[in-house]
Amino acid sequence: MTIQDSSGSMTMMMMVDNGGMSCLPCTPLEEKQIVHDLNNQSELDLKEGNLFYLISTRWYKSWERYVGGGGGIGDQLDSHHINNGVSGNTVERPGPIDNSDLIENGYGGEGGDVELRKNLEEVQDYVLAPQQVWEKLFHWYKGGPLLPRKMICEGIFSEKRVEVYPLSLKLIDSRDDSQLTLKLSKKASIRELYHKVCALKGIEPEKAQIWDYFGKQKHSGSPLDVSDQTLEDAMLQMDQNILLEVQVDDGCSPSQCGMDSTGNELALVPLEPSRSSLTIAGGPTMSNGHSTSYSAFSSSFVGMDDGYDLQNSAKKVESGGLAGLQNLGNTCFMNSAVQCLVHTPRLAEYFLQDYSDEINTDNPLGMHGELALAFGELLRKLWSAGRTAVAPRAFKGKLARFAPQFSGYNQHDSQELLAFLLDGMHEDLNRVKRKPYIEMKDSDGRPDEEVANECWKNHKTRNDSLIVDTFQGQYKSTLVCPDCSKISITFDPFMYLTLPLPSTVTRTMTVTVFYADGSSLPMPFTVTVMKHGFCKDLLAALSTACCLKSDESLLLAEVYNHQIFKFFENPAEVLNSIKDDEHIVAYRFDRKEAGKKKLEIVNQWPEKSASDYLKGGERKLFGAPLVTYLEEGQLNGADIDLAVSRLLAPLRRTYSSAKSSRGKENGYLSDAIDEPSNSSNQSIESLELEDESSKELSLQLSLTDSRITTCKPLKKDSTIKPVSCIKVLLDWTDEVHESYDPSYLKDLPVVHKTGFTVKKTRQEAISLFSCLDAFLTEEPLGPDDMWYCPRCKEHRQATKKLDLWMLPDILVFHLKRFSYSRYMKNKLDTFVNFPIHNLDLSKYMNKSGESYVYELYAISNHYGGLGGGHYTAYAKLIDENRWYHFDDSHVSPVSEAEIKTSAAYVLFYRRVKAYSTQG
């Protein structure tokens, strides 16, 4: 097959079938290997312009199941299917590639003109296949539609990203008011835009003028220049209007002739003179060569580019801080975060004054001062705009440049944006021009006060800004090594506190306990453990729940495809490795059995059985495996038969079937069956049967390997090789089924069913204090956050305990409502009861003499789910002592009683003492 590689050269890809070119389809394993190799090859040469193709996650997962694992694209791979070797691959080959679920209103045709669904990046309904991988999959499966996308570089650090959604612009032709939608990369140039428009309209480029027509208003005072400036740098937004004007025969455009697009006379509005970048920081502005000064609320800050009338700025005196923010396309998350920040009294005071002297343009960790300047300009416009909504286009343009993760037009997280803004503005306003190198010292048993002061002094030596003065506090972090018990105490700064909801700190886990000695029936137990705990914590909870004796132990295992997929023999293994949809069992045994050979019994319906449970006479596994321990020494088939019979004993039926009616009394087995008979005839019969079946077992058992690829029937005198774990297959023949009830082995419960618990959680109400307590609870670090122990000289999964040490004037709480796992996302709508007044945190502080009482002044809210949620904000005007609801462009008063909802996501508190003069 001939394909084009990323460098543009033509490469011949050889099929692995029979060592050369072949029209025969590859085997599943070969497909998997080819895709894996091509994907690895692509990752070695990632650069701007590389082509990728969108593939439906639904179809891709079906292909993964078919090949027994993924080829390295995305994170959708189920680890159970990687080389688990269980049975043969029975998954059907998927049909043609079907991307219809990625398309708006279904299948839309071929190529880039297909309209994608709006929320694909939020719900992760697609994977990105490099061009070579796509061409290989398309060669095998065909289908479509083709959804090619290019890799672009974004931001000042040139971060590589595939542009899933090109920039969509609505072209309005001034000649007839017709509309046309254009799709170009946001990295395309204005020159490319002109070429595309002129080609579509059939006009000469020199006669075309294209205007930024955001909000159906002309911006910038002149049409877009035909240049190499990108559409992104020109601040063109997703789905906005652009206006095409064509010069008439006399050589002038409609605007030049004093006419609008409909032929009406245009009212000439003087444009705001250009200003240097420092004017938005409060410096003097030059107009016609004269220096002018202005107040913080001067209308000179308000321009037509922001989508509101200059005359409205005069209303500031009566309604300052009540301007909304226009939604530029899923930017409600940004609007919510910005409204909370601009209504922070300390920030408003700062940015409404002259702050130009504190702009740090040389900080390599900052954004050359541009982020702080952009925020300051936006804050001034919001406080100057009266009640007219502001379009934050310039501010969003800066975000796209410095934080590409927020550059698209998908919904993002308001808290993540807040974290970026606070950190970025801190670096842009950092008064420290050159950060000294400071080597941190260990506490080494010194007093906490001394270590805390030293840590804060070192922090301030490198970080000194308005943001640090206002938002940063300090907490005490205590780490304990689980191996050598080394204690390390540090005092770290924080900008906000991310509080877990108590339901996110613990998890309920259902585990089925089996008796390894066959003394009782299996029983499921549901226990509550710490979400970031260890297997030893689960074992401890189970031991209590099932009343484990002091001389007994539990062995945890995961059951997959009716076999033991994994034994959890390491008590220090983290519980995060166990997913909610898995089946976990525990085998209960005597402690003295530990270390002996394990016997695993896998249940199957026999081949060529007339049982209704069988389909087509093929071998079919069912139920949960049984595990026991065997005696030391040489083992034979009879020993295995005896051990299996002992495990099956609790499953013995209390009544017989029609085929075993002997000894049946009123439908129940007679006790005489289990007692020795005095009949000589029966004794002779028994001896004859024993002689005939001297080499047969009472059960049909087959010795197999770990992957069940071979099966060898067991006889009484079969010799068993000495291995640590012996695996046998038990055929549930009609006779076995009549004697034992297999229902106790079926339908193992999963670890956790999310639906029921989520419904229950919605009805519960928790307090902000309980969330704070959960945050300060000791817990083990995650496996991806290991601590380097200076004594062990190794990374250890230490336990961590946080305590509040110093609180800032502005205290921000982030409620951790969103949880993410490999296969699903979830949001908790639990109502958190937070105080509006008199939030007293004194009990969490060891120091006295300061005020630890706070008052709420702003809330960032999130409504709905992850795929289609919406952000708003509540903010209090301190001077008015009144709350308002900010919903993008709409601003309305709201009573204090209405601001407490289950949508509260980020809470902003101000220290009462620090603002006692402001009411």
Side-chain angles (χ1 to χ4, degrees), residues 310-326:
L310 292 173
Q311 299 174 353
N312 286 326
S313 63
K315 298 179 182 178
K316 190 278 153 193
V317 176
E318 59 182 10
S319 57
L322 294 182
L325 284 165
Q326 290 185 24

Side-chain angles (χ1 to χ4, degrees), residues 485-752:
S485 300
K486 162 72 176 175
I487 298 176
S488 175
I489 298 177
T490 58
F491 291 83
D492 303 313
F494 68 84
M495 195 90 73
Y496 52 87
L497 297 177
T498 296
L499 305 186
L501 276 61
S503 55
T504 65
V505 175
T506 60
R507 64 184 294 199
T508 58
M509 302 182 71
T510 299
V511 178
T512 305
V513 177
F514 288 81
Y515 286 78
D517 60 358
S519 60
S520 297
L521 288 169
M523 179 72 67
F525 292 92
T526 300
V527 295
T528 300
V529 293
M530 297 299 294
K531 180 170 288 188
H532 299 290
F534 303 96
C535 284
K536 63 182 180 181
D537 302 318
L538 176 58
L539 288 169
L542 278 176
S543 300
T544 302
C546 70
C547 301
L548 197 72
K549 298 176 182 177
S550 59
D551 59 348
E552 290 181 316
S553 294
L554 292 173
L555 176 62
L556 285 175
E558 178 187 350
V559 174
Y560 178 74
N561 198 25
H562 311 294
Q563 302 170 71
I564 299 298
F565 179 75
K566 175 184 180 182
F567 284 109
F568 296 94
E569 297 183 287
N570 180 11
E573 184 164 352
V574 293
L575 292 179
N576 284 337
S577 64
I578 301 177
K579 308 304 178 186
D580 286 347
D581 58 350
E582 293 173 351
H583 301 274
I584 303 298
V585 297
Y587 296 100
R588 181 172 181 169
F589 61 94
D590 196 301
R591 285 184 185 274
K592 63 184 180 181
E593 303 288 333
K596 294 184 179 180
K597 295 185 182 70
K598 285 195 286 286
L599 173 65
E600 178 186 346
I601 301 103
V602 180
N603 303 286
Q604 69 171 358
W605 299 115
E607 296 182 88
K608 298 180 181 179
S609 169
S611 171
D612 293 337
Y613 297 95
L614 228 38
K615 296 182 180 179
E618 63 185 11
R619 187 186 303 275
K620 183 179 180 183
L621 306 182
F622 79 94
L626 299 172
V627 172
T628 189
Y629 285 89
L630 297 171
E631 295 296 331
E632 297 297 327
Q634 186 66 40
L635 295 171
N636 56 30
D639 298 321
I640 303 298
D641 185 64
L642 180 63
V644 175
S645 298
R646 184 171 65 247
L647 287 180
L648 292 178
L651 309 183
R652 182 177 291 278
R653 297 183 185 273
T654 57
Y655 60 90
S656 67
S657 66
K659 288 187 178 182
S660 56
S661 57
R662 287 183 301 171
K664 183 177 72 172
E665 297 178 1
N666 299 324
Y668 291 88
L669 288 174
S670 170
D671 293 338
I673 289 179
D674 295 325
E675 295 179 2
S677 173
N678 294 324
S679 169
S680 60
N681 292 333
Q682 289 180 350
S683 298
I684 294 173
E685 182 180 354
S686 299
L687 289 173
E688 290 175 349
L689 288 174
E690 183 179 350
D691 181 63
E692 292 175 1
S693 59
S694 60
K695 294 187 177 183
E696 298 294 334
L697 301 177
S698 62
L699 301 167
Q700 287 190 16
L701 299 172
S702 301
L703 193 65
T704 185
D705 56 18
S706 60
R707 299 183 178 182
I708 315 187
T709 54
T710 60
C711 293
K712 180 181 179 182
L714 277 179
K715 304 292 183 181
K716 281 188 177 181
D717 56 358
S718 299
T719 302
I720 309 298
K721 293 182 179 180
V723 292
S724 59
C725 185
I726 299 169
K727 191 169 187 175
V728 298
L729 291 171
L730 167 62
D731 282 341
W732 278 73
T733 62
D734 291 339
E735 290 78 9
V736 175
H737 191 268
E738 288 165 4
S739 301
Y740 301 98
D741 185 356
S743 63
Y744 295 103
L745 304 178
K746 296 179 180 178
D747 302 324
L748 276 181
V750 296
V751 169
H752 179 69

Side-chain angles (χ1 to χ4, degrees), residues 414-433:
S414 68
Q415 185 274 331
E416 291 179 2
L417 177 63
L418 280 165
F420 169 77
L421 289 178
L422 290 175
D423 187 63
M425 286 196 294
H426 154 65
E427 297 295 355
D428 275 0
L429 298 172
N430 199 342
R431 303 175 186 114
V432 179
K433 305 303 179 182

